[in-house]
Amino acid sequence: MASIIYGLCALTAMTCTWLLLSTYKKTGYRLLFWSGLCFAGLSINNILLIFDRIVFPTTVDLSTWRLVAALVALLPLLYGLIWEEE
Protein backbone atom coordinates (compact mmCIF):
# COMPACT_ATOMS: atom_id res chain seq x y z
CA MET A 1 0.00 0.00 0.00
CA ALA A 2 2.86 2.37 0.77
CA SER A 3 4.32 2.00 -2.70
CA ILE A 4 0.99 3.01 -4.25
CA ILE A 5 0.80 6.12 -2.06
CA TYR A 6 4.42 7.08 -2.79
CA GLY A 7 3.80 6.62 -6.51
CA LEU A 8 0.63 8.71 -6.43
CA CYS A 9 2.45 11.48 -4.57
CA ALA A 10 5.19 11.50 -7.19
CA LEU A 11 2.64 11.56 -10.02
CA THR A 12 0.76 14.40 -8.34
CA ALA A 13 3.93 16.47 -7.98
CA MET A 14 4.88 15.83 -11.61
CA THR A 15 1.38 16.79 -12.75
CA CYS A 16 1.56 20.02 -10.75
CA THR A 17 4.94 20.74 -12.32
CA TRP A 18 3.56 20.25 -15.81
CA LEU A 19 0.44 22.32 -15.15
CA LEU A 20 2.32 25.21 -13.55
CA LEU A 21 5.03 25.40 -16.21
CA SER A 22 2.60 25.06 -19.12
CA THR A 23 0.42 27.82 -17.67
CA TYR A 24 3.53 29.96 -17.18
CA LYS A 25 4.37 29.41 -20.84
CA LYS A 26 0.93 30.71 -21.84
CA THR A 27 0.64 33.64 -19.42
CA GLY A 28 4.20 34.63 -18.56
CA TYR A 29 3.32 35.13 -14.89
CA ARG A 30 6.65 34.66 -13.09
CA LEU A 31 5.30 33.21 -9.84
CA LEU A 32 4.00 30.24 -11.84
CA PHE A 33 7.56 29.65 -13.05
CA TRP A 34 9.02 29.65 -9.54
CA SER A 35 6.21 27.40 -8.30
CA GLY A 36 6.82 25.03 -11.21
CA LEU A 37 10.49 24.81 -10.34
CA CYS A 38 9.57 24.11 -6.74
CA PHE A 39 7.27 21.26 -7.73
CA ALA A 40 9.92 19.87 -10.08
CA GLY A 41 12.24 19.62 -7.10
CA LEU A 42 9.48 18.09 -5.00
CA SER A 43 8.97 15.52 -7.76
CA ILE A 44 12.64 14.60 -7.47
CA ASN A 45 12.18 14.40 -3.71
CA ASN A 46 9.26 11.99 -4.14
CA ILE A 47 11.20 9.84 -6.59
CA LEU A 48 14.07 9.65 -4.11
CA LEU A 49 11.54 8.63 -1.45
CA ILE A 50 10.40 5.75 -3.65
CA PHE A 51 13.99 4.62 -4.13
CA ASP A 52 14.74 5.01 -0.43
CA ARG A 53 11.69 3.17 0.93
CA ILE A 54 10.75 0.71 -1.83
CA VAL A 55 13.73 -0.05 -4.11
CA PHE A 56 16.61 0.06 -1.60
CA PRO A 57 14.92 -0.29 1.82
CA THR A 58 17.87 -1.73 3.75
CA THR A 59 20.97 -1.24 1.61
CA VAL A 60 21.05 2.51 0.95
CA ASP A 61 19.99 5.46 3.10
CA LEU A 62 18.84 8.33 0.90
CA SER A 63 17.34 10.45 3.67
CA THR A 64 20.09 13.08 3.43
CA TRP A 65 19.62 13.36 -0.33
CA ARG A 66 15.86 13.65 0.12
CA LEU A 67 16.30 16.50 2.59
CA VAL A 68 18.74 18.28 0.27
CA ALA A 69 16.30 17.86 -2.64
CA ALA A 70 13.47 19.31 -0.55
CA LEU A 71 15.61 22.29 0.47
CA VAL A 72 16.73 22.95 -3.10
CA ALA A 73 13.12 22.60 -4.25
CA LEU A 74 11.89 25.29 -1.89
CA LEU A 75 14.63 27.82 -2.67
CA PRO A 76 13.25 28.95 -6.08
CA LEU A 77 9.79 29.46 -4.62
CA LEU A 78 11.24 31.40 -1.71
CA TYR A 79 13.21 33.56 -4.13
CA GLY A 80 10.14 34.16 -6.27
CA LEU A 81 8.01 35.11 -3.30
CA ILE A 82 10.57 37.56 -1.89
CA TRP A 83 12.17 39.20 -4.92
CA GLU A 84 9.66 39.05 -7.74
CA GLU A 85 7.42 42.05 -8.32
CA GLU A 86 4.19 42.08 -10.27
Side-chain angles (χ1 to χ4, degrees), residues 29-31 34 79-86:
Y29 189 58
R30 299 277 299 173
L31 190 57
W34 299 117
Y79 173 82
L81 289 172
I82 292 174
W83 296 107
E84 284 295 319
E85 297 176 9
E86 288 189 39

Side-chain angles (χ1 to χ4, degrees), residues 50-63:
I50 292 170
F51 282 126
D52 190 22
R53 300 291 180 172
I54 306 297
V55 179
F56 308 115
T58 58
T59 58
V60 179
D61 181 25
L62 296 175
S63 61

Side-chain angles (χ1 to χ4, degrees), residues 15-37:
T15 303
C16 289
T17 301
W18 178 72
L19 288 172
L20 286 165
L21 292 178
S22 65
T23 305
Y24 165 71
K25 198 174 188 180
K26 292 176 189 173
T27 63
Y29 189 58
R30 299 277 299 173
L31 190 57
L32 292 172
F33 175 71
W34 299 117
S35 299
L37 286 181

